[in-house]
Amino acid sequence: MARPLHRLRLTLVAALVLALAGCVSGSPAAGDDPKQSGDAYSGEIEWWTINLQKNYGPDIQKWIDAYQKEHPKVSIKWVDVPGQDITTKLLAAIASGKVPDVVNFTSATAGLFGGSMADLNGLFSAEDVAAYLPNLAEPLVADGKRIAIPWYNGGTSLAFYNKDLLAKAGFDPASPPKTYDEALALATKYHQATGKSATNFMAYSSVVQADGIPLLSEDGKTAAFNTPKTLALLEKFKPLYTSGVIAPGSLGENPRELPQSLENKLIAFNPAAVSSSLLNVEKNAPAVYSSIVVGPPVTGSDGKFYMPGQQVMGIPAKSDNQAAAAAWLKYVAAPEQQLALCKLVPIYPSSVKALADPFFTDISGTTPADQARKILIDTFKQSVDASMGSGNDEQLRQLFDDQVRAYMSGTKTAKQALDDAEKAWNDTLAKGK
């Protein structure tokens, strides 16, 4: 049987990571430091982004044109890379020594690329760094080295409730669930009232992490999740899945293609969903959209709001024009550019100043989208980047979630699933060192 495309991509990336491990770990070897121009406003700057040119090309090109007009000795070469290709393309560039000068990657891959990035502490002042939200900027420092600057993100998760369906369970739109237990209680009540599945909420790695359970050891070398608390959490979800309170399709691998969804009304709520999924409801099921009540995501025992990750930018250590690269990075990540980008697409800035703009603070609408933006802003400064910094976050989460599926479907015990997930993580982490 052919493997799903995203599984094959993960395998290829993992193989390339191992093949190039010696090229991307640690600092550049002595004698390999590129000769720097030292001029912040001259030379060509190759700038890589992820999935922006197709939909926002003309808008971003205006930034480039304005910058080049102000600094005529600078030439910006913009290269936009498909999201699924950025890891392999950047790994190959680092291995060849032919790197971009400024590169957009994700916080989930910061651990993979950190050793190959320049230390921005030498290019950004403390005042420069203070322009970004501390909860987004601080995770991008490893062993005192600032490997990247935060750019933009999709915000934390949100909760979406179909108030019409949930009326049968006595749902109060003004007082939605706040915790895992409250969400599962609402799901049970809805199932008892209707005989139908209530939600796709499942104890995957993100849910375990948001319950205050460390996934990795402090040194990042071994799995840390195989604990009685994790076992108890999985065992809490199992009878709800078996009885149909949690939808059978929740074990699907692609959250965008689950057979039971808010759009088709085969579930009544999702207590912790990617914020952008509201756009799918609005587009595909307008009648359902009008019934949606938005709330903060439910939280586990630590009460924190987790952000799936963020888009960041760094300067490869092998760039030979780091001064000019830093000047361009500061410009493109400035509040004005961040705000302009946020007005084009429903994303959120890392800039303190941009977040204080009336566009984010003066939200008076009553649509689900308006509710979502307001809640995201209210929770934003308390959000936590869920990236683990392993350099291989996506594959590790896939390995864990596969074992959860095995347990929920009855092919393994909870203990066996956690033991197997722990071994898979430790083997993968050991190969990547």
Side-chain angles (χ1 to χ4, degrees), residues 36-47 67 71 73-76 101-102 123-124 315 319-332:
Q36 297 295 321
S37 71
D39 188 340
Y41 300 108
S42 70
E44 181 179 87
I45 302 165
E46 186 167 323
W47 176 47
Y67 191 82
H71 306 291
K73 294 182 179 180
V74 174
S75 173
I76 306 296
D101 298 293
V102 179
L123 297 165
F124 280 67
I315 298 174
S319 165
D320 61 4
N321 202 5
Q322 292 181 16
W328 169 249
L329 199 166
K330 291 173 187 178
Y331 171 84
V332 80

Side-chain angles (χ1 to χ4, degrees), residues 291-367:
S291 299
I292 293 295
V293 170
V294 184
V298 293
T299 63
S301 59
D302 68 1
K304 295 178 181 177
F305 300 109
Y306 281 78
M307 181 183 295
Q310 55 176 324
Q311 297 290 330
V312 304
M313 287 191 287
I315 298 174
K318 291 185 179 180
S319 165
D320 61 4
N321 202 5
Q322 292 181 16
W328 169 249
L329 199 166
K330 291 173 187 178
Y331 171 84
V332 80
E336 295 78 11
Q337 278 64 255
Q338 287 197 25
L339 184 61
L341 191 58
C342 291
K343 289 180 178 180
L344 296 174
V345 60
I347 55 175
Y348 297 86
S350 61
S351 160
V352 175
K353 184 178 178 181
L355 199 62
D357 188 88
F359 179 75
F360 291 111
T361 58
D362 297 348
I363 302 172
S364 58
T366 59
T367 68

Side-chain angles (χ1 to χ4, degrees), residues 132-146:
Y132 305 98
L133 289 165
N135 56 320
L136 302 184
E138 288 172 6
L140 302 175
V141 176
D143 298 324
K145 174 184 176 181
R146 172 159 297 287

Side-chain angles (χ1 to χ4, degrees), residues 95-177:
S96 71
K98 297 178 180 179
V99 296
D101 298 293
V102 179
V103 61
N104 169 201
F105 53 99
T106 69
S107 56
T109 55
L112 177 60
F113 298 125
S116 301
M117 294 293 126
D119 185 354
L120 298 184
N121 285 321
L123 297 165
F124 280 67
S125 68
E127 184 179 358
D128 290 332
V129 174
Y132 305 98
L133 289 165
N135 56 320
L136 302 184
E138 288 172 6
L140 302 175
V141 176
D143 298 324
K145 174 184 176 181
R146 172 159 297 287
I147 61 178
I149 290 296
W151 192 15
Y152 67 88
N153 59 81
T156 61
S157 299
L158 289 171
F160 304 119
Y161 303 91
N162 185 322
K163 66 179 187 292
D164 294 342
L165 295 180
L166 288 169
K168 301 170 185 176
F171 172 69
D172 180 1
S175 183

Side-chain angles (χ1 to χ4, degrees), residues 172-225:
D172 180 1
S175 183
K178 295 180 180 180
T179 66
Y180 288 2
D181 286 345
E182 290 177 3
L184 295 177
L186 175 63
T188 300
K189 194 172 181 180
Y190 177 80
H191 181 68
Q192 291 172 342
T194 66
K196 299 177 181 179
S197 296
T199 183
N200 284 318
F201 192 43
M202 181 49 67
Y204 291 131
S205 61
S206 58
V207 172
V208 171
Q209 182 181 25
D211 201 28
I213 298 171
L215 299 181
L216 281 176
S217 59
E218 288 189 8
D219 62 9
K221 294 181 179 179
T222 57
F225 55 74

Side-chain angles (χ1 to χ4, degrees), residues 258-267 285 288:
L258 300 183
Q260 294 87 30
S261 66
L262 287 170
E263 290 99 308
N264 62 25
K265 298 197 288 189
L266 293 181
I267 59 169
V288 174

